Amino acid sequence: MGNDGLYTIGAFAKLTSVTERTLRYYDRKGLLKPSFRNTHGHRFYTEKDLVVLQNIVTMKYLDYSLEEIAAHMREPGLDLLSSLALQKDMLQKKKQHLERVLDTIGRMQQITEGAGEIEKNLLLAFIHHIQYEENQKKVLSAQLPSEIVDALYMEHMLPGERLDIERKLTSFILELKEHCNSGKQPLDNDVLDTGKRLVAFLEAFLSPALQSLKDEQIAQLELLSDPSAASDPTLFLSVFTAEEEAYLKLVFDHLEVLKTMKEGVRNEKKE
């Protein structure tokens, strides 16, 4: 600080722990203009500028944007107390959003633990499903029995049980994608074996819910084979590419044929 009571920009920055770059930026934005400039254009600040900067720093701490801070600086008569109430509400919503994001990341890390490297698009698809899970439930609940929706989203399971199922499903998805991308034919024994194990897993997983349904509820399940039941791609994002879906259709169509043939043989033996 000079004898005339002025701070150079360097001294002012050091005093306030705000960088010179930031002070220049505040000057350009009209938030904090230096009280004095010499003939060379050098900035000089006073004690009054220190109070203004403290107000800016405090409002930034309260998460006000620079535009909001500028508005308060231009109009001292604005009701700061009412503004603080609005700011608190905004921060509460931001806090809730951050908590949801953290929960999603944590859950995704748990599900994929030990799964090895996962391609970016698949990982984002998994996160998308977690993100829109509640919206998906609402859509499906209007079309399917609640017992099935609850089973699909493992509503009544303990966290550990749910995590185990999600990890197994992830393993099946990765295995099927690997078969497709490695060039194996859909009717290859390894591919069919993976398909059979997935079908058996899903049947065991959904069996308790299916057995609890009444006849009229079972009729509703026809929607599961109707593409329009989950036609919104922004809500029900596929974890498979179009090529992979075509590949899997051949696999599961063949498994359905085999299942029908086996049931026919069993019925003949019974007769």
Side-chain angles (χ1 to χ4, degrees), residues 92-138:
Q92 287 284 7
K93 291 177 180 176
K94 183 181 288 188
K95 177 186 175 184
Q96 292 168 2
H97 172 71
L98 289 174
E99 286 175 346
R100 286 196 298 270
V101 171
L102 287 170
D103 286 344
T104 298
I105 293 173
R107 183 173 160 192
M108 198 68 257
Q109 288 177 320
Q110 287 184 315
I111 292 171
T112 57
E113 184 179 351
E117 186 175 350
I118 299 179
E119 61 183 73
K120 179 182 69 175
N121 288 343
L122 178 58
L123 192 58
L124 291 175
F126 283 155
I127 293 172
H128 179 279
H129 278 284
I130 295 175
Q131 178 185 0
Y132 288 98
E133 200 169 74
E134 292 304 317
N135 302 74
Q136 292 171 354
K137 290 177 191 175
K138 289 178 182 178

Side-chain angles (χ1 to χ4, degrees), residues 16 18-19 32 42 60 84 102 106 127 158 185 246 249 259:
T16 60
V18 175
T19 66
L32 176 59
H42 296 153
K60 275 181 63 65
L84 285 173
L102 287 170
I127 293 172
L158 295 173
Q185 294 301 307
K249 186 177 186 308
K259 180 179 179 182

Side-chain angles (χ1 to χ4, degrees), residues 107 132-144 149-150 152-155 162 235-236:
R107 183 173 160 192
Y132 288 98
E133 200 169 74
E134 292 304 317
N135 302 74
Q136 292 171 354
K137 290 177 191 175
K138 289 178 182 178
V139 171
L140 292 178
S141 293
Q143 301 169 323
L144 299 173
V149 177
D150 288 348
L152 288 171
Y153 289 93
M154 297 166 273
E155 288 291 342
R162 177 173 180 167
L235 191 59
F236 296 92

Side-chain angles (χ1 to χ4, degrees), residues 71-88:
H72 278 277
M73 305 293 275
R74 288 193 302 268
E75 302 180 49
L78 287 178
D79 186 347
L80 181 58
L81 193 58
S82 296
S83 176
L84 285 173
L86 291 174
Q87 191 68 8
K88 180 182 178 182

